[in-house]
Amino acid sequence: MNAFPRNPDAAGNRSHFIRAAFAYFLARATGPNVYVGDVAAQRWRNDETTGAVLRAITSPLQSADLAPLMQSAVVDFLTHLSMSAGSRLLVESLNLPIEPFYSLTVPFDATPALAGATWVGEGKPIPVQSGTVGAATLGPARKLGIIFAFSRESARNPAGERLFGHMLRERAAREFDAALFSDDAADDDRSAGLLHGVTALDAGPMGNLTEALGALAGALGSAGGSGRVVIAAHPSTAALIQLHHPQLVWPVLATRALVAGHIVAIDPTGLLFGMTGNVDISAVNSGLVHMSTTPVEIVSATGPTTADPVSELFQIDAIGMRLLLDVAFTAKPGAVQHVIGGAWQ
């Protein structure tokens, strides 16, 4: 009997990254000595790409030639997070492969406008337009971590893979958006948020949505923008924008990483994303986990503080999943603008 029954309906869940993570979950849920590659080979017999992704994860030093594949798998995963505004921005922006531990200098044309078209007469030299070249620094990449517990019974559920993929995408969407739309400065652990160092604009004398959107578009244009605008806001604020401006041609993306009333406008051509392809996937069925967004030591070595709440995975019969992705992002100067508050709240 096949220990890993094939998915009866995988048409809507073909992410190789999610399949690789689910293979780790199934291997740990099945037994202590089950090889994750066997799980994938039996469950998705014709999916050679997922097998290659697993080989790159389990033997990263021997699989350097699979780096482009891993970068593609990570990008594919992050661009299909239906609950993430950052996922849509990644699709619209410039995505570059980068090396681990290194940064990449990306040049761009910072010239406000050309003086005129470059017409060339027969046999005449082609004019060289003078201008300004700017540069943005992308990287070094930092680790974006995702951890959650999934019940072992789900391995026997016909819908287990879909439920697993949904939870993984939901957690990744929350983490990805929280990283992008923060105002945190860069340090050894994190990349700077897109709002770091960006001063909020004045919403205008009336403080209404029309003035706020006009101020955002004007600021992007004055910074040398391309004319493309993407709006990101809390779901309630995004709904208000669409209600009051149903003819608005700009994409309006909802994200819970922003508070109500906070509107961010982005020129997607000014965003840069970098992926190294480094991925770490682990699954365990025993261990203490502090179930908190601000985890601490289970028992502090410097005092009587005890983490709470704490779960023992073996006791609750769950599989703990941990995923680490190397991600970098930045924006060209002026490509991100925002307003906070206003009469639309």
Side-chain angles (χ1 to χ4, degrees):
M1 180 178 178
N2 190 344
F4 316 111
R6 299 184 67 189
N7 187 356
D9 181 15
N13 195 21
R14 289 178 176 166
S15 167
H16 301 295
F17 184 89
I18 290 179
R19 282 186 169 181
F22 190 63
Y24 272 87
F25 166 76
L26 282 180
R28 184 56 62 199
T30 304
N33 299 316
V34 178
Y35 176 53
V36 65
D38 293 340
V39 175
Q42 292 186 38
R43 188 174 178 87
W44 309 290
R45 293 175 182 170
N46 298 318
D47 186 354
E48 296 180 358
T49 302
T50 295
V53 169
L54 286 170
R55 289 196 299 275
I57 294 172
T58 56
S59 304
L61 297 181
Q62 287 75 37
S63 305
D65 56 325
L66 295 176
L69 170 66
M70 291 302 297
Q71 290 163 350
S72 176
V74 172
V75 171
D76 177 70
F77 170 65
L78 291 177
T79 53
H80 287 83
L81 305 178
S82 59
M83 297 155 282
S84 166
S87 179
R88 173 71 179 273
L89 289 171
L90 179 58
V91 173
E92 300 285 337
S93 307
L94 179 61
N95 174 24
L96 299 169
I98 59 176
E99 294 295 326
F101 313 116
Y102 292 94
S103 58
L104 178 65
T105 299
V106 183
F108 60 90
D109 187 354
T111 307
L114 292 176
T118 304
W119 296 103
V120 183
E122 183 177 356
K124 296 181 180 180
I126 301 174
V128 178
Q129 295 280 1
S130 62
T132 303
V133 177
T137 301
L138 180 64
R142 302 303 185 199
K143 292 188 182 299
L144 189 66
I146 304 166
I147 188 168
F148 62 93
F150 205 61
S151 67
R152 195 163 62 90
E153 285 85 352
S154 301
R156 297 189 294 268
N157 190 323
E161 185 180 341
R162 286 178 174 270
L163 294 173
F164 181 92
H166 174 75
M167 177 177 285
L168 180 54
R169 286 190 174 99
E170 191 173 57
R171 294 295 177 89
R174 185 175 64 184
E175 297 286 347
F176 194 35
D177 280 16
L180 284 178
F181 296 109
S182 80
D183 59 2
D184 294 330
D187 59 26
D188 292 340
D189 298 329
R190 72 186 73 195
S191 295
L194 294 179
L195 297 177
H196 175 66
V198 181
T199 303
L201 301 175
D202 185 351
M206 300 297 293
N208 56 42
L209 278 175
T210 301
E211 287 186 328
L213 294 174
L216 290 168
L220 290 176
S222 298
S226 66
R228 298 179 61 193
V229 180
V230 175
I231 298 295
H234 184 273
S236 63
T237 304
L240 276 178
I241 294 173
Q242 294 168 323
L243 179 64
H244 288 279
H245 296 275
Q247 304 302 317
L248 188 67
V249 296
W250 305 335
V252 180
L253 310 179
T255 175
R256 293 193 177 275
L258 296 170
V259 299
H262 191 178
I263 304 175
V264 179
I266 307 105
D267 180 348
T269 65
L271 290 191
L272 305 170
F273 288 90
M275 308 290 171
T276 68
N278 282 0
V279 175
D280 184 312
I281 300 178
S282 300
V284 296
N285 56 8
S286 180
L288 287 174
V289 179
H290 184 194
M291 301 293 190
S292 172
T293 56
T294 55
V296 297
E297 296 180 27
I298 301 299
V299 178
S300 174
T302 59
T305 304
T306 302
D308 182 69
V310 171
S311 291
E312 162 51 60
L313 298 173
F314 177 79
Q315 185 178 20
I316 63 175
D317 196 20
I319 308 298
M321 296 296 305
R322 187 193 69 186
L323 298 95
L324 299 173
L325 309 175
D326 282 357
V327 179
F329 52 84
T330 191
K332 299 175 184 177
V336 178
Q337 305 290 340
H338 67 126
V339 293
I340 302 175
W344 58 86
Q345 284 185 283

